[in-house]
Amino acid sequence: MLKGAKSFYGEHPVEFINHWMDTYDPRNAGKESPAKMPFIMFERQEEMVEFIVAVLKGEENGLMEKARDMGATWVCCAVSVWLWLFWEGSSVGWGSRKEQLVDKIGDPDSIFEKIRMLIRGLPKEFLPKGFTEKENMSYMRIVNPENGATITGEAGDNIGRGGRKLIYFKDESAHYERPEKIEAALADNTRVQVDISSVNGLGNVFHRRREAGEEWTSGPAVEGVTNVFVMDWRDHPGKTQKWY
């Protein structure tokens, strides 16, 4: 039965995230809603998962233009864990402008602490054989001892220095100090870069890639261009015109 479940979830990332992962929102502490809760995605988040898989399979670059507080980083972290579990030998890269944004032990605002929380919340049946937190979840590096998959992190000008990657997520990429240097380094190391950011003015690398890209709607990635995925605040079921 477990073998069949793993076979199914290896082809269905949306279902795996919805069925087995938890997310965390400290703003709910002491309130009716728990701080830790099942990661049941809303529709646009599910479409984001499909977008990531599309650019990955199509080996095209992606760009996510997002409003704040849309859970985009959490979704990308969840997909990273899914790849780590089910894609043998995969190497997922993560970068942001500052090291403490990539990993700060115990701080759920950092990317790698989000990833650790997602892994810790999984049923033990889905964890890799031989996996221990002490040995396999170190600072900015998470290793699957069963299939050789990794998730690694870098920051600032060091982004792209860590070797070849299946896919590389660049968080808040519109806010990098020297984005051209990062672009050059990553171009040699991965076929799939996914920029995740809110807008930060005009003329920067993120803006130029956004303007030159083509918006993805569904299905396979558009060939030969940056595929763009937009998360507007109206896509969030909890944000109404009154809230705005």
Side-chain angles (χ1 to χ4, degrees), residues 110-173:
S110 70
I111 292 162
F112 270 72
E113 194 62 20
K114 286 180 173 69
I115 294 172
R116 292 187 192 96
M117 292 174 75
L118 290 167
I119 293 173
R120 289 174 187 139
L122 292 172
K124 66 180 186 304
E125 287 81 4
F126 286 112
L127 294 177
K129 292 179 181 177
F131 175 82
T132 66
E133 183 166 340
K134 182 178 179 180
E135 295 293 327
N136 305 118
M137 284 211 296
S138 57
Y139 184 70
M140 289 208 289
R141 182 173 178 82
I142 299 175
V143 179
N144 183 325
E146 185 176 1
N147 68 11
T150 60
I151 306 171
T152 55
E154 298 165 316
D157 290 347
N158 287 322
I159 292 174
R161 303 280 183 88
R164 294 178 181 177
K165 298 289 183 285
L166 173 71
I167 185 172
Y168 204 105
F169 293 100
K170 296 155 65 185
D171 199 39
E172 291 298 339
S173 62

Side-chain angles (χ1 to χ4, degrees), residues 191-211:
R191 295 174 182 147
V192 185
Q193 298 180 43
V194 177
D195 290 84
I196 314 159
S197 191
S198 51
V199 174
N200 184 34
L202 307 178
N204 53 57
V205 170
F206 182 85
H207 175 255
R208 294 200 299 269
R209 293 186 68 180
R210 168 67 176 93
E211 291 302 301

Side-chain angles (χ1 to χ4, degrees), residues 80 83-92 147-151 166:
S80 299
L83 290 169
W84 178 79
L85 285 171
F86 296 109
W87 285 43
E88 183 176 354
S90 63
S91 180
V92 178
N147 68 11
T150 60
I151 306 171
L166 173 71

Side-chain angles (χ1 to χ4, degrees), residues 68-83:
R68 292 182 60 84
D69 197 29
M70 297 295 288
T73 304
W74 273 104
V75 172
C76 294
C77 287
V79 174
S80 299
V81 172
W82 174 75
L83 290 169

